[in-house]
Amino acid sequence: MNVATKFFSRKVPLTNWQLSVLKLASFCIGCAVGCFFADFFKPFVLPLVVAAVVAGVWFTGIWLKAMKENS
């Protein structure tokens, strides 16, 4: 088994507050990149927003399902 498969197949349990910190960090990095490359990303704003909403809804559904199963 190669290194990438070992790395990406490992399950890491996160508490809700740890997940919140990860989301905050991702948001801050996204804002910084968006501000720095504003002119470059301007034509792609709508597709990026659609992709972000779809990914966010999908992830939230998986997260809520996992929380429901654990309670």
Side-chain angles (χ1 to χ4, degrees):
M1 196 182 281
N2 64 19
V3 176
T5 305
K6 286 181 185 179
F7 180 78
F8 288 113
S9 64
R10 186 170 297 181
K11 295 192 188 241
V12 179
L14 293 174
T15 62
N16 289 339
W17 73 268
Q18 290 170 328
L19 185 62
S20 299
V21 172
L22 176 65
K23 287 180 181 182
L24 178 63
S26 300
F27 176 74
C28 291
I29 289 172
C31 286
V33 169
C35 289
F36 192 74
F37 295 108
D39 292 334
F40 177 77
F41 286 116
K42 195 171 282 192
F44 307 108
V45 168
L46 185 61
L48 287 171
V49 169
V50 170
V53 169
V54 169
V57 168
W58 176 73
F59 182 79
T60 302
I62 290 173
W63 181 56
L64 290 173
K65 182 180 174 186
M67 286 183 63
K68 185 178 178 182
E69 290 174 357
N70 289 337
S71 26

